[in-house]
Amino acid sequence: MPEGDTVWQTARRLHDALAGKVLTRSDLRVPRFATADITGRTVLDVTPRGKHLLTRVEGGLTLHSHLRMDGAWKVYANGRRWGGGPGHQIRAILGNADR
């Protein structure tokens, strides 16, 4: 189960990879939001709040995620193959020119 330090470190890693950069890819795989597209918007920051991660995007939007019992966010360089589990378990993909 992710604890506070894990959530904080995850937020910092995501902030470093995404903040200030324009999203070139957004794939939200939760049925309720599957048609939402935030591609072309700049990520303003990623902030931890308890076990919640708030990814603030220009236009007043916030992507709220919770790590629950075994959740994780991973950061990959462009062109690098993903790992860490089957694709059907991935709930969101955010990408920019670098990551």
Side-chain angles (χ1 to χ4, degrees), residues 21-84:
K21 298 177 181 154
V22 175
L23 292 173
T24 57
R25 181 172 184 193
S26 70
D27 183 0
L28 304 180
R29 297 179 174 184
V30 176
R32 182 174 174 195
F33 301 109
T35 60
D37 185 9
I38 55 176
T39 302
R41 296 179 187 259
T42 300
V43 174
L44 303 175
D45 68 8
V46 180
T47 304
R49 292 289 183 259
K51 288 191 180 183
H52 303 265
L53 293 171
L54 305 174
T55 304
R56 299 180 201 280
V57 181
E58 76 175 326
L61 301 174
T62 300
L63 176 63
H64 170 217
S65 59
H66 190 285
L67 297 181
R68 303 204 185 275
M69 293 296 284
D70 58 359
W73 276 93
K74 306 215 185 244
V75 176
Y76 296 98
N78 273 346
R80 183 168 168 229
R81 184 153 170 80
W82 302 346

